[in-house]
């Protein structure tokens, strides 16, 4: 009895365990089936998108090739298109491209083919579209020669701003079908190119040619049917994925993606039985597991786990691994960054870099060779990145790094070494294409909710140095952001500041060593809308960067002339005023005319206007600058070369410009009281000025000792806090 009871209890327990396990396994399988189905649809959509990108790239590349040939025809013709011998030219162009045949059509519709034949294309829509000045890709059409279906690409041939004909090329349907051939799902999947109304263009599997023939008419009509949704989406240019029953194929998954060509769609199809065969295997094994008890359950769960891992790995590689470089995609990198930067140690920096003018590499080298450069970068990054760091290719030639760092200086040095390693060993570098990288760096303080914020800030820093040979790393900080916002604010108010006269004239004395004021410096005082004064040097740099500095210089010139004219009318003594000019103004031919008009308008002798020009960053046309400077000097304007002692540009200008004075930077006089070498340099500068018969102005004289030394050296003028206060209204 006890034994029977025990057996019964054991059986009940066993059955209960089996039932619980079966229920648990059932729930797990239900969840797993949905997960795998979701992964399958995600992967199918990625396949469709990738095939769409390949198709778009190929057809648009064919159009560009056709446009290049059309441009070459226009550039090498005398305009007589009707009498031109077209066959050799078209044969050569066809050989250089991958087209089946090419042709040139006159406006009448008469077309000459690369085969030597003549046909009439006046009834073709692509001919009329191209004749109207548009590039055109036809839908599937019968070839006019061999009647085999083909795609026709057509572009206008422009000569002297007039369309003189149409250059067209026939491309075999099979060429585009090969582009969309995919090995997804072990080759069981296939793709089609159709119009939005399901008109056939191309299919990767010839046996599936009629899959979408009259699909929207043959299937049952229902507003809730998946294929009805697909039809509506295709009419509205949307993408998606549907699951429905097809009379010939059975249950299928179909991903549909719009292309950039006409109203074409790319459809990726996979039979449900193929997509779910792994899931079905799991279900079958789980059934055995429920019957085979505990050990079988364990083994089966292990098998399910392994199967799941394999499936996930496939999907993972498709969605998260960049096929070109082997690194992460940006989608995967965002997840990794969130995990890594959430750890407080080590400190991380987010870096973004790209290749300057990489589009030129595609044009010069071709896409495949340009991709070799990207693969090379990916290989270097794989070698250099540490286990707790990551990198990804965001898009095209834009790469992203998450690097640990101990100090800002060490990080900059590491990036410079990385740049050297990439550039030195890069394929085709310098021989055909100059590789220049620009790194933007954002030092992460706290991990942001939106990882894209890191991308934006690093990109802002990168853009400040993009294309510079001598500066490859730029850091972003809050001051940087504030500076950008301030610059944008100033840029938006520049024109208004001059129009509304928000900028006023401020004079500062230039003194001699006799204790008297001999001249004054003109400065621009800007207090926009009654707010805080903006630093003059800061906003002048922004004006220079935006090409607006000449307008500011002309504005300040008129303010100076008006001030002197007012003194003259009031019977007060005139004194020279030094007006700061940018080299941009000396590049501007009309600036000389503006000064002459101001002399005539205000009747101020030019010797009271000291024109103070300072070197600036960027290339200058020295011949143009010298020509205008010579004219100004001839008109008796006093020319001063400013910012002496800052770089070599000022010395170069000193050699070629007819200057009367030179003005030295504030830093020149710093420390001359206690530094014999500094004093000797100042003495040499004074002697140089005297030998060149130039007067010399020292800026930033702040101490009596400095003043005494300069007086002893017989310098001419100085500015600074020791220069006497002067009421310029007296």
């Amino acid at each position: 009895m006890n034994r029977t009871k025990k057996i019964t209890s054991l059986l009940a327990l066993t059955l209960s365990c089996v039932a619980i396990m079966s229920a648990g396994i059932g729930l797990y399988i239900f969840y797993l089936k949905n997960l795998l189905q979701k992964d399958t649809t995600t992967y199918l959509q990625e396949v469709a998108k990738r095939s769409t990108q390949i198709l778009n790239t190929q057809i648009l590349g064919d159009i560009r090739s056709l446009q290049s040939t059309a441009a070459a025809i226009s550039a090498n013709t005398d305009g007589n298109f009707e009498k031109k011998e077209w066959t050799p030219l078209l044969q050569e162009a066809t050989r250089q491209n991958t087209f089946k045949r090419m042709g040139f059509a006159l406006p009448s519709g008469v077309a000459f083919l690369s085969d030597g034949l003549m046909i009439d294309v006046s009834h073709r829509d692509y001919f009329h579209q191209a004749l109207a000045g548009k590039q055109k890709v036809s839908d599937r059409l019968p070839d006019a020669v061999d009647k085999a279906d083909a795609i026709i690409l057509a572009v206008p041939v422009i000569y002297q701003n007039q369309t003189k004909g149409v250059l067209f090329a026939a491309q075999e349907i099979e060429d585009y079908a090969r582009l969309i051939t995919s090995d997804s799902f072990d080759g069981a999947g296939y793709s089609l190119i159709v119009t939005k109304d399901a008109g056939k263009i191309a299919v990767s599997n010839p046996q599936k040619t009629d899959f979408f023939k009259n699909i929207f008419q043959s299937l049952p009509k229902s507003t809730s049917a998946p294929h009805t949704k697909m039809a509506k989406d295709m009419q509205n240019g949307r993408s998606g994925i549907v699951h429905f029953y097809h009379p010939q194929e059975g249950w299928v998954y179909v991903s549909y993606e719009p292309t950039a060509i006409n109203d074409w769609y790319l459809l990726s199809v996979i039979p449900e039985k193929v997509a779910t065969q792994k899931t079905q295997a799991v279900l079958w094994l789980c059934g055995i597991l429920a019957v085979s008890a505990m050990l079988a359950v364990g083994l089966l769960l292990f098998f399910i786990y392994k199967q799941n891992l394999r499936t996930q790995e496939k999907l993972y590689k498709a969605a998260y691994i960049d096929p070109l470089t082997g690194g992460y995609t940006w989608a995967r990198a965002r997840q990794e960054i969130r995990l890594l930067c959430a750890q407080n140690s080590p400190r991380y920096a987010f870096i973004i870099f790209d290749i300057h003018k990489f589009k030129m590499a595609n044009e010069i080298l071709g896409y495949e060779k340009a991709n070799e450069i990207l693969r090379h970068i990916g290989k270097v990054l794989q070698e250099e990145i540490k286990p707790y760091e990551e990198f990804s290719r965001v898009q095209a030639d834009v790469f992203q790094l998450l690097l640990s760092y101990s100090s800002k200086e060490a990080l900059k040095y590491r990036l410079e070494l990385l740049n050297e390693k990439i550039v030195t060993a890069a394929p085709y570098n310098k021989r055909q294409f100059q590789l220049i990288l620009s790194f933007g760096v954002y030092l992460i303080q706290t991990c942001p909710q939106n990882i894209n914020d890191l991308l934006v800030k690093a990109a802002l820093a990168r853009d400040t140095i993009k294309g510079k040979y001598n500066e490859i790393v730029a850091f972003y900080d809050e001051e940087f952001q504030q500076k950008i916002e301030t610059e944008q604010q100033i840029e938006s108010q520049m024109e208004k500041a001059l129009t509304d006269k928000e900028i006023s004239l401020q004079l500062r004395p230039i003194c001699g060593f006799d204790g008297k004021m001999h001249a004054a410096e003109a400065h621009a005082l800007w207090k926009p809308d009654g707010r805080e004064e903006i630093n003059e040097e800061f906003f002048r740099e922004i004006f220079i960067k935006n090409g607006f500095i000449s307008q500011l210089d002309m504005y300040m010139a008129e303010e100076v002339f008006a001030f002197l004219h007012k003194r003259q009318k009031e019977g007060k003594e005139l004194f020279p005023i030094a007006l700061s000019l940018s080299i941009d103004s000396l590049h501007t031919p009309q600036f000389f005319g503006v000064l002459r008009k101001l002399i005539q308008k205000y009747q101020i002798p030019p010797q009271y206007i000291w024109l103070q020009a300072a070197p600036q960053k960027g290339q200058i046309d020295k011949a143009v600058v010298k020509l205008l400077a010579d004219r100004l000097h001839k008109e008796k304007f006093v020319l001063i070369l400013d910012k002496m002692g800052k770089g070599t540009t000022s010395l170069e200008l000193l050699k070629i410009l007819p200057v009367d004075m030179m003005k030295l930077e504030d830093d020149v006089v710093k420390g001359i009281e206690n530094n014999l070498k500094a004093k000797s340099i100042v003495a040499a500068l004074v002697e140089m000025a005297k030998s060149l018969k130039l007067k010399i102005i020292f800026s930033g004289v702040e101490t009596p000792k400095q003043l005494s030394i300069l007086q002893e050296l017989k310098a001419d003028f100085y500015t600074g806090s020791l220069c006497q206060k002067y009421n310029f209204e007296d």
Side-chain angles (χ1 to χ4, degrees), residues 27-43 253 275-276 279 304 308-309 311-312 315:
L27 290 173
Y28 175 75
I29 293 302
F30 177 77
Y31 164 79
L32 186 62
K33 182 178 180 181
N34 288 336
L35 178 63
L36 290 172
Q37 184 176 5
K38 184 178 179 181
D39 287 344
T40 299
T41 56
T42 301
Y43 175 58
Y253 289 97
T276 60
T279 306
I304 295 170
N308 190 29
L309 274 184
T311 305
Q312 291 291 345
L315 297 172

Side-chain angles (χ1 to χ4, degrees), residues 32-47 50 184-186 241 270 274-275 278-279 306-323 327-329 331-332 335:
L32 186 62
K33 182 178 180 181
N34 288 336
L35 178 63
L36 290 172
Q37 184 176 5
K38 184 178 179 181
D39 287 344
T40 299
T41 56
T42 301
Y43 175 58
L44 189 59
Q45 286 178 306
E46 287 295 325
V47 169
R50 191 162 61 246
S184 60
F185 296 98
D186 300 323
I241 186 166
I270 183 72
V274 175
K278 290 182 180 178
T279 306
K306 294 295 288 185
Q307 288 291 95
N308 190 29
L309 274 184
R310 290 193 190 101
T311 305
Q312 291 291 345
E313 186 179 356
K314 274 189 178 181
L315 297 172
Y316 176 84
K317 286 183 178 179
Y320 295 136
I321 300 299
D322 177 30
Y328 288 146
T329 62
R332 179 68 182 90
Q335 300 174 16

Side-chain angles (χ1 to χ4, degrees), residues 188-190 192 205 207-212 215 219 244-254 269-274:
Y190 54 95
L192 307 93
N205 185 344
Q207 298 178 357
K208 306 296 182 178
T209 301
D210 296 329
F211 177 77
F212 270 80
I215 184 173
L219 293 176
F244 63 86
Y245 183 80
H246 187 275
Q248 284 80 41
E249 297 287 330
W251 286 99
V252 292
Y253 289 97
V254 180
V269 184
I270 183 72
E272 183 192 49
K273 60 185 178 182
V274 175

